[in-house]
Amino acid sequence: MAIPHWLLMSALFLLPLLAQVLAQEPGCSVNNNKPSVPENKCPYVVTTVNVRPGFTLTIDPNFPDGQFFTIEGSELQLTKCVDYEEDPVLLLYLICKDPAGQTDSLEILVTILNENDNSPVFAQPNITRDVPEDTKVDTAIVAREELSATDADLDTIYYELTTTVQDTDGYFAIRGVNNPEIYLQKTLDYDKFNSTTLLLYARDRPVSSPEPSNNATATITITIQQSDTRAPWFLPCTRIHTDASVCISSPYSGRVNISEMSTEPLLLEPGPIYAIDPDYTISDRIVYSIVGGNTDNVFSVDADTGNLTMNKIVTSPDSFLLQVMAAQASNIRKYSVATVEIKVINKSNFPPYFEKGVYNGMVFAGLPQRSFVYQAGDPSTPLVITAMDQDFPDKVNPNIEYFLKNSTDFIATRDGLILTNTVLESPGTVTIQAVGKDVLSLQEASTIIVVEVVLATAVTPSDKMYSAQDMAILGGILAALLLIALVFLGVLVWKSSRWYGKPVKYLMKKKLSTEISGGHQNEYYQEDEQPYVNTKQHEPSETSSVQAEPPVPEQPALALYSSGAEETESLPKDSIASTVIFNQEEKEEEKEEEAEQEKEVKSILKTDRNLADDGYKAVWFKTDVDPEAGERVEVIEDNAADDDDDDDDSDQDLQKNEEEEEEEGESSDTDNHHRGLEEPFASESSSPPAAEVTANMSHTGAGTADSKL
C-alpha cells in the first residue's frame, strides 16, 4: 500500500520538533514537592514520583531528613514517625540520573501537621499544705505558679477542682477555669474536719467539647492546724444546734449547813467545778477565780483544781450566788463565767428511808399513757411510795422527790404516785428501783417496786377501774347536769314569784301572823323586855283596863283576835298591837292589788296623831302617858267618821261584836283571861311607865274603824 506523499512530508517535518520536546522533558518528577504529613503517622505516603525509562531516582543521603523517607515504586513514603513538637518541617532531596550519567535533584519540603497527642503536665503533681484554722476567707492556699500545667501541643488548659473527703465541699476553690490558684472560700472548723484531699484536673479541651481531650491530675493534701479560737468550757455542757464549736453548761449548785464549818471541798451538782480548753490540741492551762457573789468572803476556789471550800461559817440562811471565772493561763481574754448557787440549810441528822422494802402494784395492759398503777390486791387504790425522814416531827419531808432508775415504762410523780409512761401491750412482771431524794440535803433512799401487768379481760365487772381521764369526763357531765338543774329551778322560782306572787306572799304573811298571835313567845326575850315582871304573880293590875272597839267582821286579823281571845289576851300588849298592825297592813295590800291602783305607801308607825288626813291610817304611840294612870286602850274616832253615817254604823257594829266575843271568852275561862292580861304587866309600883297606843284606821267606802289600844 503506498503512503500518501503529503503524510510523509508532514511526518518528516514533525520529527525534529518531537525530538526537541523530548529533549526538554525531565527524566524524574514528583506530583507534590510540598506535601503535609500528620505527626506520629507512619508509614505514610508523602507523594508519588514519576521516573522515565532509563532514569533512576534516589534519596540524597547528604541531608539528615532523608532518613525518614523511602521510595517504594512510584511512592515516596514516610517510614519513621515524626513528632510535630520535635520536627515540624522535613526537607529532603531526590537525585534523578539519566542514561548518559548526568544527574539532577528534586527538592521536597514536607510539613508535619500538629496533632493533639500530648496531655497536660503539672510541674508538681503532689502538693501538701498546712492551713491554720483561723485563716481568713479569700486567702490563697496554693499559688498559681505551683499549679499551672503545660501542654506540648500548646493547647489552652482548662482546670477543675474537686474534693475526696465527705462534707468538705465548698471550703476551697480555684480562682477561675484557666487560673488554678486555690484559695479559702469558707471559714474552717477544726472540730468538723482537720484534713482534706483536693484533686485538680487539667484538660486541653473544655469539658463540654465534643473533641477528645487529654487530662492531667494533681493531688493537693490540706492539713488543718487548730488555732486558739474558743474560750474555756465548763463541764458538763451541752452542744447546741449540732454545732461542735458551742457548748452550754448548766449552773452548779451546792449546800452548806448553817453555823457549821466544812473543811472538805463542797459537793456540787451536776459535778465539781471543772473547765477545759476546747482547742484541745493546744490545751492551755485553766485558772479559776471567784469574781462575784462571795459576800463576806465566805468561800474560796482553788486556782488550779476549781475546788470550792469554806473560809468561815455561815450564820444567815440566805443563799449565795457565786460567779466563778475560768480563764486560759496564756491568754486571760479567753475566759468563761459559771454560776454556782450555794444554799444554806439546816443540818440533816437522819437520811430518808422507805417503810417498805418492796411495793407491789398492778396495771392493766392497753391502758393509755399516764394511767395509775394500783396496789396489788386492791385495784381501786393507786400505788403510792412514801419516804420518811426522822428530821421532821411527822416524818414527812416536803423536799423529797421521787424518780425511777431502771425503767422508762413508768414514772413517779412528786407525791409518789406511779404512772405508766407508755402503753403496755403484753402482760408480764416489771421490777423497778425507786429512789426518794432530799433535794436540799441530797440524801437518798431506795426501794423496789414490782408491777404486774395483767390483761384487762381478766378483770371482773366489780373490779373494773377507770382512769383519771374517765373520772374527769364523768365529773364534767355531772357538773353540766347540776348547772342545768339549777337554771331550771331558778326559772321555776322566778315564774312562781311572778305568776303566783300574791298567794305565796299571802301565805308567808299569814304564817308570820299566826306565829306572832299563836302564843309562840320567847320567854327570855320577855324577861329582857320586862325585867320587872314577876311570872309567878298572876293578879291583874287594879288600874289597868282594856277597852276595844268591835272589829270589822271582814278583817282577818280582827276575826282571828275574836276567835282566839284566850291566846290573844295572854300576849303582851306590844304583841297584840303588832298583830293588829300586821293584819291591817295585809288587809290594805290585798285591797290595793284587787283595785290595781298605785298608791303611795306611807309609814303606819307614828308618834303624833294626824286627824286632818282623811283616808290615812296609822298607828301612833303616845309617849306622855301618866305612869300612875296605868295602861288603857281608847278608841279615837277619825274626822271622817263624824262626816259619814255609814262609817259610824260600821264602828258601832264592830264594837258590839267585839264586846259579845269578850263576854263569851270571860265566861268560858275567867281565870285564864285575867292571867293572860296580867302576865305582860308588872304591878303598879314596879312597872315602867305605860305607853298609850292609838290605832287610827279608816277606809273610805268600806267603813272606818278607829281603835285606841
Side-chain angles (χ1 to χ4, degrees):
M1 178 178 177
I3 299 174
H5 184 264
W6 63 270
L7 182 60
L8 181 61
M9 291 301 292
S10 299
L12 292 175
F13 178 78
L14 292 175
L15 282 175
L17 182 61
L18 180 60
Q20 185 179 0
V21 172
L22 291 175
Q24 294 179 354
E25 183 180 358
C28 302
S29 64
V30 294
N31 292 342
N32 186 4
N33 61 348
K34 293 182 179 180
S36 297
V37 178
E39 67 174 337
N40 300 325
K41 295 289 185 178
C42 59
Y44 188 83
V45 177
V46 177
T47 185
T48 60
V49 298
N50 299 315
V51 180
R52 289 173 60 186
F55 289 81
T56 59
L57 184 66
T58 59
I59 299 174
D60 190 351
N62 296 325
F63 294 90
D65 292 342
Q67 62 180 339
F68 293 98
F69 300 94
T70 185
I71 297 175
E72 295 290 340
S74 61
E75 296 178 346
L76 178 63
Q77 295 183 359
L78 179 66
T79 58
K80 187 179 181 180
C81 295
V82 180
D83 191 355
Y84 169 83
E85 287 73 26
E86 296 180 0
D87 298 306
V89 178
L90 298 176
L91 179 62
L92 75 156
Y93 287 91
L94 299 179
I95 299 174
C96 181
K97 185 177 183 181
D98 60 7
Q102 296 181 354
T103 60
D104 192 8
S105 63
L106 298 176
E107 183 184 72
I108 299 176
L109 183 63
V110 179
T111 301
I112 304 300
L113 300 177
N114 188 17
E115 297 288 339
N116 189 18
D117 58 346
N118 293 291
S119 298
V121 177
F122 285 102
Q124 299 182 37
N126 294 286
I127 299 176
T128 301
R129 287 289 185 273
D130 293 334
V131 181
E133 180 186 10
D134 58 351
T135 300
K136 295 182 179 180
V137 174
D138 202 38
T139 301
I141 305 301
V142 184
R144 177 178 183 176
E145 292 75 13
E146 297 181 73
L147 291 174
S148 295
T150 60
D151 189 354
D153 297 326
L154 303 179
D155 294 327
T156 302
I157 306 301
Y158 301 89
Y159 298 94
E160 181 184 2
L161 184 66
T162 61
T163 181
T164 60
V165 179
Q166 188 177 4
D167 299 331
T168 61
D169 293 337
Y171 285 90
F172 300 94
I174 57 176
R175 295 292 183 183
V177 67
N178 300 121
N179 186 354
E181 181 182 85
I182 298 176
Y183 71 99
L184 182 62
Q185 186 173 243
K186 190 167 62 174
T187 303
L188 297 173
D189 189 346
Y190 185 84
D191 291 330
K192 291 184 177 179
F193 68 97
N194 51 30
S195 66
T196 185
T197 300
L198 306 177
L199 297 179
L200 181 63
Y201 297 96
R203 297 184 176 90
D204 56 9
R205 294 290 185 272
V207 177
S208 60
S209 176
E211 298 179 8
S213 63
N214 297 315
N215 304 330
T217 305
T219 303
I220 300 95
T221 302
I222 303 295
T223 301
I224 300 174
Q225 296 178 341
Q226 191 174 33
S227 302
D228 190 7
T229 59
R230 300 174 180 85
W233 289 350
F234 282 96
L235 300 181
C237 63
T238 303
R239 304 190 183 203
I240 61 174
H241 305 306
T242 65
D243 189 348
S245 62
V246 179
C247 196
I248 305 300
S249 60
S250 301
Y252 296 94
S253 62
R255 284 88 176 161
V256 295
N257 295 328
I258 192 170
S259 301
E260 181 176 332
M261 181 71 177
S262 176
T263 58
E264 298 295 329
L266 301 183
L267 297 178
L268 303 178
E269 287 186 346
I273 298 176
Y274 180 65
I276 63 169
D277 183 2
D279 303 317
Y280 48 87
T281 59
I282 300 174
S283 189
D284 197 0
R285 187 171 66 91
I286 305 299
V287 179
Y288 303 93
S289 61
I290 299 177
V291 295
N294 193 12
T295 305
D296 201 20
N297 196 26
V298 175
F299 301 96
S300 62
V301 63
D302 189 283
D304 296 324
T305 64
N307 289 333
L308 196 65
T309 56
M310 297 183 66
N311 297 327
K312 58 183 69 174
I313 62 174
V314 181
T315 59
S316 173
D318 298 334
S319 299
F320 292 83
L321 196 63
L322 305 178
Q323 292 179 331
V324 178
M325 183 178 73
Q328 294 181 201
S330 62
N331 188 358
I332 195 173
R333 290 179 296 179
K334 297 293 178 63
Y335 69 91
S336 295
V337 176
T339 301
V340 183
E341 183 183 10
I342 304 298
K343 295 181 179 180
V344 182
I345 63 174
N346 295 322
K347 183 178 180 181
S348 177
N349 297 318
F350 301 96
Y353 67 94
F354 285 97
E355 292 184 336
K356 294 183 179 180
V358 178
Y359 289 84
N360 295 305
M362 58 88 65
V363 68
F364 298 101
L367 291 180
Q369 190 178 4
R370 299 295 191 273
S371 296
F372 285 110
V373 174
Y374 294 91
Q375 295 182 5
D378 188 3
S380 61
T381 304
L383 178 63
V384 181
I385 59 175
T386 304
M388 302 299 179
D389 193 340
Q390 295 183 0
D391 290 322
F392 294 84
D394 54 358
K395 296 184 179 181
V396 177
N397 186 349
N399 302 316
I400 292 181
E401 294 183 356
Y402 302 93
F403 61 93
L404 307 181
K405 277 191 172 181
N406 59 341
S407 177
T408 58
D409 295 336
F410 300 88
I411 60 174
T413 66
R414 184 179 179 86
D415 298 327
L417 292 169
I418 308 301
L419 307 177
T420 60
N421 197 33
T422 185
V423 179
L424 303 174
E425 301 293 345
S426 58
T429 302
V430 181
T431 302
I432 310 169
Q433 182 181 4
V435 176
K437 182 178 181 180
D438 188 340
V439 296
L440 292 182
S441 65
L442 304 182
Q443 295 174 319
E444 296 182 354
S446 62
T447 187
I448 300 299
I449 303 175
V450 179
V451 180
E452 183 179 0
V453 183
V454 299
L455 294 175
T457 55
V459 183
T460 60
S462 60
D463 296 334
K464 185 176 180 181
M465 291 167 292
Y466 300 93
S467 63
Q469 293 85 348
D470 297 335
M471 300 304 294
I473 293 174
L474 179 59
I477 295 174
L478 293 177
L481 293 177
L482 179 60
L483 179 61
I484 294 173
L486 292 176
V487 171
F488 182 72
L489 181 60
V491 171
L492 290 180
V493 171
W494 178 76
K495 289 186 176 182
S496 299
S497 63
R498 183 177 178 183
W499 297 342
Y500 307 105
K502 180 178 177 180
V504 172
K505 185 176 181 181
Y506 175 78
L507 292 176
M508 293 176 64
K509 291 183 177 181
K510 193 70 176 177
K511 181 178 179 181
L512 181 60
S513 175
T514 305
E515 291 178 354
I516 294 175
S517 61
H520 302 285
Q521 303 180 21
N522 191 336
E523 297 179 357
Y524 298 99
Y525 175 79
Q526 292 177 0
E527 292 177 359
D528 294 338
E529 293 294 332
Q530 305 288 342
Y532 301 102
V533 176
N534 188 1
T535 56
K536 295 181 180 181
Q537 296 177 359
H538 303 289
E539 296 180 359
S541 177
E542 297 177 357
T543 60
S544 62
S545 61
V546 177
Q547 297 179 1
E549 291 289 335
V552 180
E554 289 82 358
Q555 295 181 356
L558 298 179
L560 178 63
Y561 172 77
S562 60
S563 61
E566 182 180 353
E567 295 180 358
T568 304
E569 291 174 357
S570 65
L571 293 174
K573 291 187 177 182
D574 293 343
S575 300
I576 298 174
S578 300
T579 304
V580 175
I581 294 170
F582 185 85
N583 292 335
Q584 185 65 24
E585 180 184 359
E586 181 183 4
K587 177 67 175 180
E588 182 65 22
E589 289 179 1
E590 290 178 0
K591 290 186 177 182
E592 288 179 359
E593 291 178 0
E594 292 176 358
E596 295 181 356
Q597 296 178 356
E598 296 181 355
K599 186 174 182 180
E600 182 181 2
V601 178
K602 300 181 179 180
S603 177
I604 63 174
L605 301 178
K606 300 179 67 68
T607 58
D608 56 344
R609 296 179 59 184
N610 189 0
L611 303 178
D613 189 359
D614 190 11
Y616 174 76
K617 57 184 179 179
V619 176
W620 63 277
F621 297 87
K622 185 176 180 181
T623 58
D624 55 349
V625 180
D626 185 7
E628 301 297 333
E631 295 182 356
R632 53 198 177 93
V633 178
E634 298 180 357
V635 177
I636 301 176
E637 298 180 359
D638 197 359
N639 294 335
D642 299 334
D643 298 335
D644 191 9
D645 296 337
D646 296 335
D647 294 341
D648 293 340
D649 297 336
S650 299
D651 293 339
Q652 293 177 0
D653 295 338
L654 179 61
Q655 183 178 3
K656 182 178 181 181
N657 293 333
E658 189 177 30
E659 291 177 353
E660 292 177 356
E661 292 176 357
E662 288 178 356
E663 293 177 357
E664 292 176 359
E666 291 175 357
S667 60
S668 61
D669 194 356
T670 304
D671 296 336
N672 292 336
H673 171 71
H674 289 289
R675 187 181 298 111
L677 293 176
E678 291 172 356
E679 284 179 355
F681 303 101
S683 61
E684 182 176 346
S685 61
S686 62
S687 61
E692 184 177 0
V693 180
T694 303
N696 184 9
M697 296 174 291
S698 62
H699 185 75
T700 305
T704 302
D706 294 340
S707 301
K708 183 176 181 181
L709 302 180

